[in-house]
Amino acid sequence: MSDNSIVISSRVRLARNYDDLPFDVAQRPEYAAMCIARTTNALNIAGAGDGFNLIRLRDLTDNERRSLEESRLVSHDLLGTPDTAAVMVRENEAVSLMMNEDDHLRIQAVRPGLDLLSAAAACFRVDDALSRQVVFAFDEQLGYLTACPTNTGTGMRASLLMHLPMLTLLKQMGNVGQIVAKVGLTIRGVYGEGSEALGNIYQVSNQVTLGRTEQEIISTVSAVGHQLTDMELSLREKSLHSTRAQLEDSVFRAWGILKHARLLSLNEFFKHWSGIRLGAAMGLLSVSTDTLDAMLDQMQDAHLRAYAEKPLEGTALDELRAARVRRMLSRR
């Protein structure tokens, strides 16, 4: 078992604001439009705009917006102001620029596994290109100025998406919360603040950016990621020796349900997905964790409606989810 069996993905996000625009541009259409135009023009002039696709949320259906959120390309808060919000997406590098949320810009990059350095490098390439053309709000003592004080400083949030089923099952998440809090980090559900840990998936990230360098933030989050990985792997190894029958029973029950179910709610999917991902990572099932991780987006409601090309609800949605899961597991 490896780190990647625990850490699903790494994300780095940079908050930036233009020095001559008010912070509340989302509520002021004329400034919001200026922010979008300035960002796209600056990237193009700097020669960094290739591959980016500009998406204005007002031009999307509600389902298309939610699909972007499910793929973690935009935040839930950005969906709250669709008339003024936009996002630039470079899909081949999993890089996106959210515009007109709390801050003027949120530059973010996602990488599979524990790879914060690569995610940070992708963000900084975009940040550097913009900085050659525009002026961001910056204070020599405080650093980058942001709408939320906890982002002031580097403006960086580094986070790991981690699958921690054994720590959850053995009720160790309270201890985990204390561990991460001691070094200035926080742990949340799969979609960040206010979300629940569906499928035993947690997001670990730095809580503040002021007074810490980018390197310190990445090092701290990475170190905690390794520590939690070691804790989870240790519990998995112990379970193979001390409670193997119970472990295998849980894994194969989950496998049987997902392989044969005709109806699957989202919560039930996440519950059993966690079981079979655990089994796959431990070598008990012949299915790759990459295949299972691909399901995280595809089995959610907005993605399923896009796949069906119609507004499914209720039983019809659960029926399609079950069918798609069966199909993906049969291909492996």
Side-chain angles (χ1 to χ4, degrees):
M1 288 182 285
S2 64
D3 283 359
N4 284 8
S5 71
I6 311 296
V7 182
I8 298 172
S9 63
S10 304
R11 183 183 70 179
V12 170
R13 188 193 71 201
L14 302 177
R16 296 291 186 262
N17 292 277
Y18 293 117
D19 71 335
D20 61 338
L21 296 181
F23 278 121
D24 61 341
V25 294
Q27 309 302 324
R28 305 171 76 168
E30 68 278 13
Y31 288 122
M34 191 181 300
C35 178
I36 296 170
R38 181 180 295 180
T39 303
T40 54
N41 289 339
L43 280 178
N44 289 331
I45 293 171
D50 291 346
F52 276 107
N53 180 30
L54 174 63
I55 304 170
R56 297 176 185 271
L57 266 62
R58 69 189 182 200
D59 297 333
L60 303 180
T61 65
D62 181 66
N63 195 71
E64 288 170 335
R65 295 169 196 156
R66 295 190 182 282
S67 183
L68 288 174
E69 181 189 9
E70 289 175 355
S71 297
R72 301 176 190 82
L73 291 172
V74 304
S75 66
H76 180 72
D77 288 343
L78 193 74
L79 301 187
T81 54
D83 291 340
T84 54
V87 60
M88 296 182 71
V89 179
R90 181 184 277 162
E91 292 188 7
N92 62 333
E93 292 187 10
V95 176
S96 62
L97 284 81
M98 292 185 287
M99 289 173 277
N100 302 330
E101 193 207 46
D102 291 338
D103 293 293
H104 299 158
L105 298 179
R106 296 279 178 90
I107 306 166
Q108 72 169 25
V110 179
R111 293 291 182 269
L114 207 169
D115 194 6
L116 287 172
L117 284 175
S118 175
C123 286
F124 286 132
R125 283 194 291 272
V126 176
D127 184 42
D128 290 344
L130 287 170
S131 296
R132 292 195 295 270
Q133 306 299 325
V134 302
V135 179
F136 289 128
F138 185 85
D139 181 87
E140 288 296 332
Q141 290 186 322
L142 296 176
Y144 289 101
L145 303 180
T146 58
C148 179
T150 58
N151 289 328
T152 296
T154 62
M156 173 187 279
R157 291 288 178 131
S159 63
L160 301 174
L161 202 64
M162 306 188 71
H163 184 221
L164 303 173
M166 294 304 294
L167 283 166
T168 305
L169 176 66
L170 297 177
K171 303 188 185 306
Q172 295 298 305
M173 293 311 298
N175 293 334
V176 169
Q178 293 177 10
I179 289 171
V180 302
K182 286 179 180 177
V183 290
L185 305 188
T186 186
I187 187 163
R188 300 183 172 112
V190 59
Y191 286 104
E193 189 170 3
S195 65
E196 58 182 313
L198 294 170
N200 300 314
I201 301 173
Y202 299 87
Q203 187 183 108
V204 179
S205 65
N206 59 303
Q207 200 157 17
V208 295
T209 70
L210 187 62
R212 293 188 176 187
T213 66
E214 291 90 343
Q215 292 79 7
E216 288 171 340
I217 291 171
I218 290 174
S219 295
T220 301
V221 177
S222 295
V224 169
H226 285 299
Q227 184 178 2
L228 297 185
T229 293
D230 289 343
M231 292 170 63
E232 174 72 20
L233 289 177
S234 176
L235 292 175
R236 293 184 185 189
E237 288 294 337
K238 288 180 181 177
S239 71
L240 280 174
H241 299 290
S242 61
T243 57
R244 188 182 183 101
Q246 293 93 322
L247 172 66
E248 290 185 343
D249 183 68
S250 174
V251 167
F252 285 104
R253 281 177 184 270
W255 176 257
I257 290 173
L258 291 190
K259 277 282 287 182
H260 300 286
R262 264 44 186 175
L263 294 173
L264 276 176
S265 68
L266 183 60
N267 283 346
E268 188 179 15
F269 160 73
F270 268 109
K271 174 185 175 182
H272 299 304
W273 173 92
S274 180
I276 66 171
R277 191 182 191 278
L278 175 63
M282 297 180 73
L284 300 175
L285 296 172
S286 58
V287 59
S288 74
T289 54
D290 288 343
T291 295
L292 298 176
D293 291 349
M295 290 184 178
L296 287 176
D297 292 351
Q298 296 181 40
M299 298 310 156
Q300 296 195 58
D301 292 355
H303 276 75
L304 288 172
R305 293 187 185 104
Y307 176 81
E309 298 182 339
K310 51 186 173 183
L312 301 178
E313 296 291 344
T315 299
L317 199 60
D318 293 346
E319 187 175 7
L320 178 59
R321 187 174 2 257
R324 291 211 72 196
V325 168
R326 294 197 308 274
R327 195 172 301 122
M328 289 189 73
L329 291 181
S330 65
R331 291 200 303 262
R332 305 199 212 183

